[in-house]
Amino acid sequence: MALQFSNACFSAFSRSRVPAVRAVASENASAAVKTAEEEKVKLGGSDLKVTRLGIGAWSWGDTSYWNNFDWDDRKLKAAKTAFDTSIDCGITLFDTAEVYGSPMALGAISSETLLGRFTKERKQRDPNVEVAIATKFAALPWRLGRQSVISALKGSLARLELSCVDLYQLHWPGIWGNQGYIDGLGDAVEQGLVKAVGVSNYSEKRLREAYNQLKKRGIPLASNQVNYSLIYRLPEENGVKAACDELGITLIAYSPLAQGALTGKYTPNNTPSGPRGRIYTPEFMTRLQPLINRIKEIGEGYGKTPTQVVLNWLVAQENVVPIPGARDGIQAEEFAGAVGWRLTNDEVEELRSMASEIKPVIGFPVEKL
C-alpha cells in the first residue's frame, strides 16, 4: 500500500499524546502502516479483507438528517478531508448507500457520487492506494425481484465510477419479501459486479434465511450491518450477534457512537441538534453522564479519548467492525486511534454493566420488518 502518513495519524494510533519528534517521522509512519495492516480482518466467509474499523459516509451530502439541513462547499471540503485523512491513517473501508444524500432522501448530493469522486482523485495521486467501498440497495416498495437489485447496483456503480464494488448490501428487509433480493445479490456476485454481499437491519430469522439461500449457490453472506453501540445493544439481546458469530458473518456496527452521544461532547445543557435532539434529550443525557464520566476515566489511563474508548469497546466484542461517521479530518484521525490497542476484559464488562442500567435509546423501525 503506497501511502504517506503524517505525524498526526501516528499520534492517533499511539497510546501516548506526547508529540512525535520530527526526526523519527518516517518510523512513526511505518508503525501506523503496520498497525493498519495487522488490524485487517476478513468479512465473514468472503475473501474480502478490510480494516478493523471503517468510515460511514451517511452524512456526506445529506440535508435530511445531518448538516443542519444545509450543504455547502465548506462541508464538501471537510468530507474530502475526512476521506483523505482516514486513508492517511490506515482506515480504508468506506460505507455508503444509494439513499445517502440522494434526492429521494432530500439530500444535496449523492454520498456515492462524492465517495466515487474522492476515490478517483486519490487514485490519481497514488495509483496503488487501496480503498474498500461498501454500498447498499434500497428495498423500496416498488422494487420487485432479483433484477431490481442488479439495476440499482449498476446505478450505484455509475455514481461511484467503478466497475465492481467491494461489498453490496441490502439496506433493509423488503416489505413484499426478500427471496428475489437475495437472488439478486447472488447474481451480482456471479456477474462479477461485487466482491462480497451482505444485508443490513436483518433480524436473526431473516439473517439465517438469507445465509442459507446464498449458501445453496456457494456464496457466503459476508455481513449484517446493524445499529450497535454501548448504549444500544439490541444485537446482543435479539440473537443477531450470536447468529453472526455462529454462521461466520461479520457484524458491521453503524451508529457506534450513538450518533455522538457517547463522545463526551454533549451534556444535559448541550444536546445534539436536529433530529438527534429528539432522541438524546436533556433527561437522557443526565442519565448517561455517569457512564460518560467512567469512559473518560478509563480513556485517561490509555491516553485515549472517550470516542476511542467506545469504539474499542465494540472492536473488543470480536467479529464486529464499527463504522463511525466522519464529517471532517479531525474526527477521522480520532477514529483511527481506536485500533491498535485493547481494553481489558474487566473494563469491557464494567462498561457493559453500567450501560445496562440506562434505559436504551430508540432504534430504527426497519429492525421490526
Side-chain angles (χ1 to χ4, degrees), residues 41-53:
V41 294
K42 285 183 65 175
L43 270 188
S46 74
D47 293 327
L48 179 62
K49 279 192 171 184
V50 299
T51 45
R52 189 173 284 278
L53 182 144

Side-chain angles (χ1 to χ4, degrees), residues 37-302:
E37 288 297 327
E38 289 177 347
E39 288 293 320
K40 279 196 172 182
V41 294
K42 285 183 65 175
L43 270 188
S46 74
D47 293 327
L48 179 62
K49 279 192 171 184
V50 299
T51 45
R52 189 173 284 278
L53 182 144
I55 297 296
W58 179 12
S59 67
W60 296 0
D62 177 77
T63 55
S64 61
Y65 195 88
W66 301 100
N67 301 305
N68 293 320
F69 306 101
D70 181 46
W71 183 258
D72 53 28
D73 287 343
R74 181 178 59 84
K75 289 171 182 171
L76 172 62
K77 291 177 181 178
K80 177 66 163 59
T81 302
F83 174 84
D84 282 325
T85 302
S86 297
I87 293 178
D88 290 342
C89 293
I91 305 302
T92 56
L93 170 64
F94 297 88
D95 178 83
T96 184
E98 64 173 321
V99 297
Y100 293 167
S102 71
M104 70 178 77
L106 304 178
I109 182 172
S110 168
S111 174
E112 288 181 327
T113 298
L114 291 175
L115 182 54
R117 183 189 306 170
F118 297 164
T119 302
K120 183 178 181 180
E121 292 173 354
R122 182 71 186 221
K123 284 182 176 290
Q124 287 174 342
R125 301 199 308 273
D126 182 3
N128 296 320
V129 68
E130 296 179 6
V131 180
I133 294 180
T135 192
K136 309 182 200 68
F137 165 85
L140 302 169
W142 55 87
R143 285 179 165 172
L144 303 174
R146 64 204 301 169
Q147 188 54 45
S148 66
V149 176
I150 299 299
S151 296
L153 172 57
K154 289 180 177 179
S156 290
L157 290 172
R159 288 184 290 274
L160 288 163
E161 299 185 69
L162 296 172
S163 59
C164 175
V165 75
D166 294 278
L167 176 66
Y168 196 51
Q169 308 151 93
L170 302 181
H171 206 152
W172 59 82
I175 295 176
W176 312 119
N178 288 280
Q179 288 191 352
Y181 294 154
I182 300 301
D183 283 336
L185 290 183
D187 294 343
V189 173
E190 293 175 353
Q191 293 178 29
L193 299 175
V194 301
K195 295 179 182 177
V197 291
V199 293
S200 181
N201 298 302
Y202 268 47
S203 65
E204 178 189 359
K205 179 177 182 294
R206 291 193 182 280
L207 184 66
R208 291 183 182 278
E209 291 172 348
Y211 172 87
N212 290 326
Q213 188 173 340
L214 286 170
K215 185 178 180 181
K216 292 177 181 178
R217 298 173 66 172
I219 298 172
L221 180 63
S223 60
N224 184 22
Q225 184 177 144
V226 295
N227 188 357
Y228 186 29
S229 71
L230 180 58
I231 59 171
Y232 189 82
R233 299 182 311 286
L234 184 62
E236 296 178 0
E237 300 159 4
N238 62 10
V240 165
K241 176 66 165 63
C244 285
D245 294 343
E246 173 194 339
L247 301 175
I249 299 169
T250 299
L251 191 155
I252 299 177
Y254 70 77
S255 294
L257 300 172
Q259 300 182 22
L262 288 171
T263 64
K265 174 182 178 181
Y266 300 109
T267 67
N269 297 321
N270 175 35
T271 57
S273 61
R276 291 179 296 159
R278 294 196 292 268
I279 300 174
Y280 303 105
T281 62
E283 293 76 16
F284 183 86
M285 295 308 299
T286 297
R287 296 197 301 272
L288 189 62
Q289 208 56 49
L291 176 62
I292 296 295
N293 292 339
R294 182 56 183 144
I295 290 170
K296 289 179 179 178
E297 290 175 358
I298 291 175
E300 288 171 357
Y302 290 92

Side-chain angles (χ1 to χ4, degrees), residues 9-16 31-41 51-53 89-91 302 304 308-309 311-313 315-316 322 334-343:
C9 293
F10 176 73
S11 67
F13 279 104
S14 174
R15 288 179 63 160
S16 172
V33 173
K34 183 178 180 181
T35 299
E37 288 297 327
E38 289 177 347
E39 288 293 320
K40 279 196 172 182
V41 294
T51 45
R52 189 173 284 278
L53 182 144
C89 293
I91 305 302
Y302 290 92
K304 295 294 181 180
Q308 292 165 339
V309 170
L311 291 174
N312 191 269
W313 184 89
V315 172
E334 184 177 20
F335 295 159
V339 296
W341 61 285
R342 195 185 188 286
L343 294 168

Side-chain angles (χ1 to χ4, degrees), residues 230 312-313 316-317 342-353:
L230 180 58
N312 191 269
W313 184 89
Q317 305 310 309
R342 195 185 188 286
L343 294 168
T344 68
N345 291 337
D346 287 345
E347 289 165 340
V348 168
E349 291 309 312
E350 179 188 0
L351 291 178
R352 174 183 277 108
S353 177

